[in-house]
Amino acid sequence: MKQFKTESKKLLDLMINSIYTNREIFLRELVSNASDAIDKLSFAALTDSSMNVSQDDLAIRVSFDKDARTITISDNGIGMTEAELEENLGTIAHSGSEAFKAEHGDAQGDAMDIIGQFGVGFYSSFMVAKRVRVVSRAYGSDQAFAWESDGVEGYTIEPAAAGERDGANDHGTDVVLYLRDSTDEEDTDRFLSEWGLRELIKRYSNYVRHPIQMMVTKSEPVANPEDLPDDAPRYIEHQELETVNSMTPIWKKRQSEVEQDDYNEFYKSTFHDYTDPVRTISFHAEGALSYDALLFIPGEAPFDLYSKDYEKGLALYSSNVLIQEKCADLLPDYYNFVRGIVDSPDVHLNISRETLQQNAQLRAIAKRVERKVKSELETMMADDREAYEGFFENFGRGLKFGIYNSYGMKAADLADLLLFWSAKEEKYVSLREYVLAMPEGLDKILYAAGDSRERLAKLPAVTGAVKRGYDVLLCTADVDEFMIQAMRSYHMDAVAGDAENPGTDARDLELTNVSTADLDLATDEEKEQAEQATKDNEGLFAAMKTALGEKVASVRVSANLTDAPAALATEGPISLEMERVMMQGPDAGMAPRAQRVLELNAKHPVFGKLAEAQQAGDEEKLALYSSLLYDQALLVEGLPVDDPVEFAKNVCSLM
Ligand code: ADP
Ligand code: MG
């Protein structure tokens, strides 16, 4: 018996004793080796016309024997000579393990890490097998050799036995795995079934370019069941060779060559969705870094999208072999809804999360993915508004969190993808549309935040602004105001003018809560009136503030109000809606409170009543009126009154 080289031994030891959970990848590794061997033979045949290779016959075959507890992976590829068996399987010669050697030298790393980082190639067989026999016959040779090992100390190489690859032109390799017994930790029995193997091939090797064949059991109805006795079986079973993998990677094709229906079917079967995607994005790169990418924007949000169990990521393939089912580094969090595949021969086959992060190639692909998704969404918004609105209702929240979580750094990328409900138009508008439709004289983007559109639309501050011809964006998602605070302002690029439109310069517009106390929307005349009213009624405001106490920071006249007698506004960074959201959060006790300002409408008859009470020196009445106005302003905002019993009593006392 020949001894394994030291590095090989170390790797094998890790492999066998590791607690690595993803043992099933051995099949992917062996199939990819078989596929490589077929590639090598095809390539040789292409360049050497004396070789007689029929490309159509080249295939990988997977079979199992339940009683002997073996799985066999066979190919009719280039095969290995005795020397090659020694060289390739006796030492760590392959790429992934080279990296292992370079990186770790003699150090004993954590097993999981190492196996995760540098796949494992052929030796991964030992994760499930207690013994492996490789019978190989090199193309052009008439003698097959058998390599055999228990993966511990060493291996043997001998001429193959009679019946093993001794037919005419029987080149290629059989890898026979003698499976370990099933344990609680690893169920190896599942590999000894048609269904189990098929599943693994579909999952990991579906797009290998060569056919992966399996003998499968088919049952067919008996032709003339009437002629049979009652207890005779109505079906006959037979064995049939079937190609299990789909072979042609749809993502390699140009989008113009593929029917949308085929994309839809592929999407639904691959990503287990029932609805068609709303958008399909396919792109390709060639050169120093080559890859094919196929992305989908789902039609519906998966039920767990906003839960912490949801895993974002694109499937990563290298030369049609699955490396990682969900490569998170390929997608930013705010595009976490995107599903799809990236396939690049330049990305190393054996790679793990840790190394991926440092992988410049992946970063380059991720950047392009992000740009592509963004431009697709922009196109969709422009060309198919209805679909975009549906998309936004499903996934808009993620985009908003993208701005919020990046402290506004991503605002430039994401702001133009946002939609808001317009109080004036009663439909969705983008920030750009808002600015383009903005009347002269307004230099801000106005919004209101609360829990329902209907209620917001009726807020005095909103109806007042709309009456003046200004639009107000109605924000009803919890994240909205926090996002707006993070982005602060909206930058709009210059718009070129044309025959009908004068165009605009680039502008930066602040997003402002319409309930902000010092908002300046009124006409000069109204402002003057308000100033006058303020001057004339200083005593009144002071008395009302005294009556309301800590409930408000101040009482004042607002020129902005049109119809309502009074409204609540806020000073400072915290709005009423933000306060409400934070009060529902885990840190409710520590949440900062909004600074409330009771705003009065000096044009409203109620204002006259207040002034009257104050002039008459009726403190009791003034306190009652103040309290009522404050409470009704709270109710209009959709907030609970502080003391409902007191409020009810006050209303009755008026009657
Ligand atoms: P890698 O595929 O990264 O080179 P592996 O450990 O998977 O590493 O395989 C080691 C080497 O063994 C391969 O490079 C190849 O030369 C050889 N080999 C493995 N399987 C086969 C096969 N089925 N046919 C021919 N050669 C093979
Ligand atoms: Mg390999």
Side-chain angles (χ1 to χ4, degrees), residues 263-275:
Y263 277 136
N264 292 351
E265 281 318 310
F266 172 77
Y267 166 79
K268 285 186 285 192
S269 61
T270 310
F271 300 107
H272 312 288
D273 196 351
Y274 297 105
T275 36

Side-chain angles (χ1 to χ4, degrees), residues 29 32-33 121:
E29 297 292 329
S32 99
N33 284 350

Side-chain angles (χ1 to χ4, degrees), residues 281 295-298 305 310-314 328 330-340 366-378 388 391 395-402 410 412-417:
I281 311 168
L295 312 179
F296 298 97
I297 296 172
L305 180 65
Y310 180 80
E311 261 187 87
K312 64 162 186 171
L314 299 177
L330 287 172
L331 281 179
D333 283 343
Y334 41 86
Y335 292 153
N336 67 353
F337 51 83
V338 175
R339 315 299 303 270
K367 232 174 163 175
R368 177 109 183 270
V369 165
E370 177 169 359
R371 277 209 309 274
K372 282 281 177 183
V373 172
K374 183 183 176 202
S375 79
E376 188 68 32
L377 291 175
E378 283 170 347
Y388 190 80
F391 156 79
F395 303 114
R397 196 169 156 220
L399 304 181
K400 293 171 181 177
F401 268 104
K410 282 284 162 198
D413 283 328
L414 297 174
D416 280 319
L417 297 177

